[in-house]
Amino acid sequence: VDAFRLYDTYGFPIDLTEDIAAEQGLSTDREGFEQALDEQRARARAARKNVKSMSAQTAIWEGLANSSQFVGYDEKVTEARILRLVLGGEVVESAQEGDEVQFVLDRTPFYAESGGQVADRGIVSVMEAAQLQVVNVQKIAGGLHVHFANVISGEVRSGATAQASIDSKNRMEITRNHTATHLLHKALREVLGDHVAQAGSLVEAERLRFDFSHLSAMTKEEIRAVERKVNEQIWTGQQVETRVLPIEQAKQLGAMALFGEKYGDQVRVVSAGDYSIELCGGCHVTSTDEIGQFRIVSESSIASGVRRIEAVTGKGAYQYALEQNQLLEEMATKLKASVRDLPVRVDGLQVQVRDANKEIESLRAKMAGYEVKQLLGQVQYAGKTPFIAAELSGLDMDGLRAVAEDLRGRMKSGVIVLGGVHDDKVSFVAAVTKDLIANGYQAGKIVKSVAAIAGGGGGGRPELAQAGGKDPGKVAEALASVAEVLA
């Protein structure tokens, strides 16, 4: 990721990056670099194809730059005027119930999707004439907020005065997750190190997703430490403040910015007490205690050197804890124990399973010994070459291999080929004594030819080899071919 970023953003040659990395004892993921380069080329091609359509879309809103004001930081409901109405890609004067439209308001409380935060949803009411359900808001050139909506009743006309109101409960859940994302970013840097940098995020009502640079999977202890640090900031009720400052002053305060993002001379700074300070245009709670609680749901890898955390807050965190508790109660019921006694009950079951496995292995060994004695009396000949070919039911690959090795040790000279089906899996094993190896017989070649009849393949050492198959119905036929294979 870093090598590609150096190349793509600064034109730094990959070969030079590899040389410098090697001098520092570091390796470079060349395959990952090439993959990122291919993805960038694909994006560039797609962008070129969409130039005309994007230009046409922007042209629809031409002349409205700076005529719309976002007031959603402070207002959830506002009176507004519909400046332009679009239906089916064309500017229209009116739209009817059932139509899917786009429009721009002179004042809007609806946050447009950006910075990882999803758009607001809500209702725009045109007096008693019409109601529109806003399902998405996108920001286009010039910072214009374009609302995507369904006309759910009446007739809406361009230029009409309306009341725009966002879904306040949905916004509240979003703000909880957004502020928690900032706290998470800071906590990750404290636990894992200052190399941690945001590589992407998604903030919606149900959850938050945070991608960050880190080379290895987080340990359980690290995850718990990060989760605890975020919750400590929630419990102490840190005030969340937003200020618009000159960018240089914001940097002097230590505000974190996203790599590759372009910022103007004036930036919006969001701080949670003295703990977290970032450049951000999103919506936030006024105090961290409004978040309620924070729970990490998962931590995983999404690319080389990039990890992903998914987490929940508030109602989502409560629901997550409730579901986890229900799972524990279900397990306790099935094991006929209380939740508190689950660890002891599971430990006891593990001991029982371990003892049962030992008994099974002992029985398998006895069965294998019995099979060996039986098979020693079933020697056949391919010319002058003695061999044993047999189908053994109930044995997996390990079991077949154990029997084959035992037979090879008991035979002065010979080839052993065993096959069988266990748990719907077809397995073959071949073994060859040392004297026949010297004469050119190889277990790998033999088992490969036999298994091919059952739609499989494999190989191994000259003295011992194994193979799989696809057709259980062909095992007998495959074993019947051993004489021909040896000949």
Side-chain angles (χ1 to χ4, degrees), residues 98-112:
D99 288 339
E100 296 180 1
V101 298
Q102 297 92 49
F103 59 90
V104 169
L105 300 172
D106 63 342
R107 287 168 53 84
T108 179
F110 289 87
Y111 184 84

Side-chain angles (χ1 to χ4, degrees), residues 212-364:
F212 60 99
S213 55
H214 189 57
L215 292 177
S216 59
M218 293 176 65
T219 65
K220 292 181 179 178
E221 291 73 20
E222 289 171 337
I223 292 174
R224 281 197 292 265
V226 168
E227 193 175 72
R228 185 183 66 251
K229 282 180 175 292
V230 174
N231 279 302
E232 284 172 351
Q233 297 304 314
I234 294 171
W235 300 332
T236 54
Q238 300 289 336
Q239 285 299 115
V240 178
E241 298 180 346
T242 59
R243 292 171 288 171
V244 177
L245 301 172
I247 189 167
E248 292 303 322
Q249 183 179 348
K251 289 180 179 179
Q252 290 173 6
L253 291 173
M256 287 191 287
L258 293 182
F259 181 88
E261 286 288 314
K262 294 182 179 180
Y263 297 98
D265 295 333
Q266 298 288 315
V267 292
R268 189 167 182 265
V269 181
V270 178
S271 56
D274 296 327
Y275 188 71
S276 167
I277 178 169
E278 294 193 24
L279 305 185
C280 180
C283 303
H284 293 270
V285 297
T286 57
S287 174
T288 57
D289 55 12
E290 295 174 27
I291 298 171
Q293 62 174 307
F294 172 85
R295 295 293 301 272
I296 292 176
V297 176
S298 67
E299 190 272 347
S300 60
S301 171
I302 60 168
S304 177
V306 181
R307 309 294 300 177
R308 169 172 290 175
I309 278 180
E310 294 197 22
V312 288
T313 65
K315 180 182 177 181
Y318 167 76
Q319 190 64 36
Y320 175 74
L322 188 63
E323 290 171 357
Q324 295 298 300
N325 192 58
Q326 287 174 341
L327 284 174
L328 287 173
E329 290 176 349
E330 288 177 13
M331 289 176 60
T333 299
K334 290 179 179 179
L335 296 176
K336 298 180 180 179
S338 66
V339 171
R340 187 181 296 275
D341 293 336
L342 272 178
V344 175
R345 186 76 177 98
V346 171
D347 287 343
L349 286 174
Q350 288 179 326
V351 171
Q352 291 179 30
V353 171
R354 189 161 54 245
D355 291 344
N357 285 336
K358 288 181 180 179
E359 187 174 349
I360 290 171
E361 289 302 320
S362 176
L363 290 172
R364 281 181 175 173

Side-chain angles (χ1 to χ4, degrees), residues 95-274:
Q96 312 294 324
E97 180 178 334
D99 288 339
E100 296 180 1
V101 298
Q102 297 92 49
F103 59 90
V104 169
L105 300 172
D106 63 342
R107 287 168 53 84
T108 179
F110 289 87
Y111 184 84
E113 180 181 349
S114 62
Q117 180 178 324
V118 298
D120 283 321
R121 61 192 187 202
I123 297 292
V124 173
S125 300
V126 185
M127 302 298 288
E128 297 179 358
Q131 271 202 334
L132 298 89
Q133 184 175 43
V134 177
V135 295
N136 195 6
V137 186
Q138 294 291 323
K139 190 184 296 184
I140 64 171
L144 203 61
H145 285 52
V146 177
H147 304 69
F148 294 73
N150 300 318
V151 182
I152 55 178
S153 67
E155 179 185 31
V156 57
R157 299 190 65 83
S158 180
T161 299
Q163 184 185 68
S165 55
I166 66 170
D167 183 335
S168 297
K169 291 183 179 179
N170 187 66
R171 164 72 79 84
M172 188 63 207
E173 296 298 333
I174 292 172
T175 58
R176 286 191 177 106
N177 284 331
H178 203 156
T179 305
T181 301
H182 285 209
L183 300 178
L184 171 62
H185 190 182
K186 176 67 173 180
L188 284 168
R189 289 171 66 87
E190 287 186 338
V191 173
L192 302 180
D194 290 340
H195 66 279
V196 169
Q198 182 175 338
S201 68
L202 174 65
V203 180
E204 52 188 5
E206 294 77 17
R207 60 170 180 150
L208 67 90
R209 190 179 73 202
F210 188 76
D211 301 338
F212 60 99
S213 55
H214 189 57
L215 292 177
S216 59
M218 293 176 65
T219 65
K220 292 181 179 178
E221 291 73 20
E222 289 171 337
I223 292 174
R224 281 197 292 265
V226 168
E227 193 175 72
R228 185 183 66 251
K229 282 180 175 292
V230 174
N231 279 302
E232 284 172 351
Q233 297 304 314
I234 294 171
W235 300 332
T236 54
Q238 300 289 336
Q239 285 299 115
V240 178
E241 298 180 346
T242 59
R243 292 171 288 171
V244 177
L245 301 172
I247 189 167
E248 292 303 322
Q249 183 179 348
K251 289 180 179 179
Q252 290 173 6
L253 291 173
M256 287 191 287
L258 293 182
F259 181 88
E261 286 288 314
K262 294 182 179 180
Y263 297 98
D265 295 333
Q266 298 288 315
V267 292
R268 189 167 182 265
V269 181
V270 178
S271 56
D274 296 327

